[in-house]
Each structure stands twice: as structure tokens, then as C-alpha cells.
Amino acid sequence: MSDTLHSDRVRIFDTTLRDGEQSPGASMNLDEKIRIAEILEQMGVDVIEAGFPIASNGDFEAVHEISKILRESTVCGLARADKKDIERAAEALKPARHKRIHTFISTSPLHMKYKLQMDPEDVCQAVIDSVKWARNLCDDVEWSPEDGTRTEHDFLCRTVESAINAGATTINIPDTVGYSTPDEFGSLISMLFLRVPNIDKAIVSTHCHNDLGLAVANSLAGVANGARQVECAVNGLGERAGNAALEEVVMSLHTRSDILPYRSTIKTEFITRVSHLVSTVTGFVVQNNKAIVGANAFAHEAGIHQDGMLKHSGTYEIMTPESVGLVQSKLVLGKHSGRHAFRSKLQELGYDLGDNAIEDAFTRFKNLADRKKDIFDDDLVAIVDDEVLRTNDRIRLLSMKVICGTHDRQTADLELEIDGTTKATSATGDGPVDATFNAIKDLFPHKALLQLYQVSAVTQGTDAQAEVTVRLEENGKSVNGQGADTDTLVASARAYVNALNKLLVKRDKTAPRALSA
């Protein structure tokens, strides 16, 4: 790999399914993870970190099943510097055509003293032992010094050199707490190339958190100084303020090739679709002014901007909407449209569904067409994501009726299917939403607390579908659920039920020490 520094190719390492899922409120079931992994591979992502196999049986299963499916992307499993962790990761990755074990240990004085309670000599030996063990089980091994940007330079160089000698093929430098600045981080990467004698034997990677809003800038500074892999997540998901946003890193390289003469293999037209899918799965709504994928990213309201755009789009747009897969939402189908037209439109939007999923989505479309005059692309995306992603839920909404108004208490009649059994109830509450949620609690008793209830419109107009986000918290674990419908109360019930299903998935997840890298 001696020509790594001189290569213009930057590998994209996506950690949405691992670090992204560690976002408070984020949780994904197996089917959701598989669907995201498949579209990331179609998008051209080089490495997909599918999970932390030792964390739970669910994480192990996700890594194992994704390993069976992917053919082009490398599947990666995370492991602490522990023999059991590494063996568990190797077992999960067995079916993968291209596999990688990513192992890590803290190296900063603060972490070694207070978290690991180990001295530097023992940590250095743990680096050697863990990387060697991983390399015995897998040819592709990545090593990370957790809290690398707060690690003493002499010790960082020593551990990096040791990891490469032990067999690491990728060295990832994490800014674990988002503390660094671009000049500082770029200098750190440059220092490693100057001082580590065997650095040419490995690819250098970045993993920057966004606590100061500098994750993307730090990652690009790393690339400018020799890093040839960037670890990032869709929509910038991740612990606390999140990770470097994949879409921002990729489009920065794509748009500013004049000063960033590097390339990735990402098909940028997938960006909007991937962003929407991850938002729907995790329940994390993308803010309107989010770079690249926010609703306002290509919107122009100021008169002087609009005038310039009409004369030449380049006056105020440095990228085209089409370059990130954004197609203007327009009227596409009506209540008389048939299955063939419906399927063709979904394929145009990037969805290739099986017969059963098409039938379920088509039924939802017909019901929507009876209630909504104008049906837009975004309406269809909301239907598909809301319907297809719920196929294996233990709890399903069958029917509901709510009575509300200025007189008497609000009442909700609700029917759910729970583990294949139909149950019905009637409940009252302080408002129609409260009554609806109380009815769900009657049918599926739980102690989860409602932390967030948020409503947004999918499209414009008074008949627009409402997209509701619900966050539930139980025993320190929180999940987001989403639901869409033209009836806000139905969307609310769907979102609450979706959150409950995610909570059932998350209950078996543990948080091993030193989880973040």
C-alpha cells in the first residue's frame, strides 16, 4: 500500500448501522438494517460497519445476515481489544465475501487512567495482542486508538506502529469527543506520516465526531494530509452531536475537486433516497436547513436569489438537485391509476418491491387517493417506507375511531394485532392524542415514558399526509417511531406503535464498556 498517500481515491466507510444506531432514540430491526445495507452497497459505499456483534444477539444476527447478502461492499464488525469480542465478530462475519474486523482500545491519558485503569505498557501490549488475534481470523483488520486526538503524540505513534506490525491494514484516527479543529487534526495525520516508519503499509482513516460542528471539516483536513478513508454516517447520525455526515463529505469532494483533488466511488444520485430511508427507519427528522439533504437545501426565497436563479442556476446553486437524486415532487398518480402504473412509478423512485409488499403499498395508495386530491412523489415515498418497513412488527394497528371536540372527554376506540392476536379497547384521555395513546397502553401495558411528540407535513396543502415522530424511553433506553397518514391521529397511533416495536428490539441490547470508537 506504499502508494496510498499518492492515490486520489478516498474510501467511504459508513457506520450508520453501528455508531449511527447509538444515537439516543435510534434503533433498527434486522429487516431495516438489511434494507439500509443493500442501498448503501448500491450507492457504492466501500465499507459498511454493520454492528457490534458482542453487544447483543440482535447485533450479531444483523452482521451475520448482512454478510450473507452483500457482494461488493466490505462488511465490518466492531470489537474491543478482547479475545471474546474479536472471535464473536469473526463468527458473525463468516459468510461475508469481503470482511473486516475493526478493533479498538483507548490511548489517551484520561481514558487509560480513569476508564481502562491500565498503564501505557499494558495498553500497547493489548494493541499488539488484539490485532494479531484479529489478523489470525481475518485478512482485513482495522485498528483505532479511541480518543486518538487527545493521545500523546509519542504514544500514538508507538501504538500505530505496533498495530501495523501486528497486521492492521487500516489505521483509523478517531476524534472521539469532537474536540479537534481542522488545522489541528490535519497536522495530526501529517505527523503520523512523518513519524511512523511503517505507515505506508496501511490506509489511514478518520472518524470525527461533531460536538463542535467540525466533523466534516476535520475529516476533509485529514484527507488533505494523507488519510484515504473517511468514516461517516448518513445524515450525520451518531452519539451525542453525531458523526461526519456521509452526504456532506461526499459532495464536498464531488463539488470542490479544484482544491480537494480526490474521488470516491459513491453514486451521488442515491444520496436523497438513502437520507430519507435512514430518517424514516430511525425516526430522526432531517432539519430543513441541513446541508445537501434538508428540505431547504435547494430552495430560494429571497427575491434577488430567485431572479439570479431564473437567469442562471449557477448564480446561487453550487450543485444541481439532480446530482443528489432530488427530483421535484409533482403530481404522478390518481385514484384511477392501476397496479402497473403504481409499480412503474415506485421503480422510478428507486423502489423494487416484492408482490406482497406492492399489494400492501398499493392498498395504502388507493386509500390515500380517496382522501387526497393531489398525490406527490413524497406521498408515495412516505407510504412505501411506512408500510414496507413494518412487515415483521409484533404490534400492528388494525383500526381506530376517535371522538373529540369541545364537549365531553375525548375517547379512542382501538384495535391492535399483538403477536398474531387481535385485541380491542376503548379509552379516554386529555385530548384525542392522549386518548389514543392510553388505548394503546391498555392493549399493550408498558412503563415507557413519552419524551417527544412531533408532527410535520409530508407535502403542502391542508390534505397533506402528516408524518408523526414519537420518542419513548424505558430504563435509560430511548427509541423513535414514525407514522404517516392524512389523519394526524392515525399517523400518531402508527408512530407510537412503531416506537413500541422498536423498544422490543432494543430491550435485548447491552452497552459494553468502551462502546464508542
Side-chain angles (χ1 to χ4, degrees), residues 17 35 38 96 274 289 300 363 425 507:
L17 300 178
R35 189 172 175 206
E38 288 177 329
V274 172
N289 63 334
H300 304 274
T363 299
T425 192
R507 278 177 177 173

Side-chain angles (χ1 to χ4, degrees), residues 152-229:
E152 294 174 341
H153 284 193
D154 287 348
F155 188 64
L156 182 62
C157 290
R158 179 184 172 192
T159 52
V160 167
E161 183 179 356
S162 297
I164 296 172
N165 282 335
T169 50
T170 299
I171 297 294
N172 177 56
I173 306 299
D175 185 22
T176 302
V177 294
Y179 182 71
S180 197
T181 63
D183 285 347
E184 185 180 34
F185 191 80
S187 295
L188 181 66
I189 299 299
S190 178
M191 182 274 297
L192 291 175
F193 277 98
L194 289 172
R195 293 185 54 187
V196 178
N198 57 358
I199 196 71
D200 62 323
K201 300 297 192 295
I203 292 172
V204 175
S205 172
T206 70
H207 181 118
C208 298
H209 279 264
N210 205 40
D211 297 70
L212 293 176
L214 297 171
V216 171
N218 286 339
S219 299
L220 295 175
V223 170
N225 284 276
R228 289 297 179 265
Q229 176 179 282

Side-chain angles (χ1 to χ4, degrees), residues 298 300 305-322:
F298 295 95
H300 304 274
H305 286 204
Q306 292 176 341
D307 179 65
M309 284 293 295
L310 290 172
K311 293 173 179 174
H312 192 288
S313 62
T315 54
Y316 289 102
E317 276 188 358
I318 59 173
M319 302 166 281
T320 66
E322 292 78 14

Side-chain angles (χ1 to χ4, degrees), residues 372-450:
K372 191 176 188 297
K373 180 181 178 181
D374 295 335
I375 297 180
F376 298 88
D377 290 356
D378 286 344
D379 289 312
L380 297 179
V381 170
I383 287 173
V384 173
D385 286 343
D386 192 53
E387 188 69 33
V388 174
L389 293 173
R390 313 290 181 249
T391 53
N392 292 319
D393 285 351
R394 287 178 55 189
I395 311 168
R396 300 173 68 86
L397 174 67
L398 297 181
S399 66
M400 63 179 291
K401 181 176 73 173
V402 180
I403 299 174
C404 59
T406 57
H407 301 288
D408 301 323
R409 289 202 80 188
Q410 284 70 33
T411 304
D413 297 330
L414 197 71
E415 190 176 43
L416 298 179
E417 181 184 284
I418 303 174
D419 292 327
T421 301
T422 299
K423 298 182 178 181
T425 192
S426 182
T428 59
D430 185 14
V433 175
D434 188 49
T436 299
F437 290 175
N438 286 340
I440 295 173
K441 290 179 186 177
D442 283 350
L443 295 178
F444 191 83
H446 61 274
K447 296 182 180 179
L449 301 176
L450 179 65

Side-chain angles (χ1 to χ4, degrees), residues 35-56:
R35 189 172 175 206
I36 291 173
E38 288 177 329
I39 194 171
L40 288 174
E41 183 174 55
Q42 293 173 41
M43 188 183 191
V45 169
D46 297 284
V47 185
I48 298 172
E49 192 166 47
F52 195 169
I54 199 71
S56 69

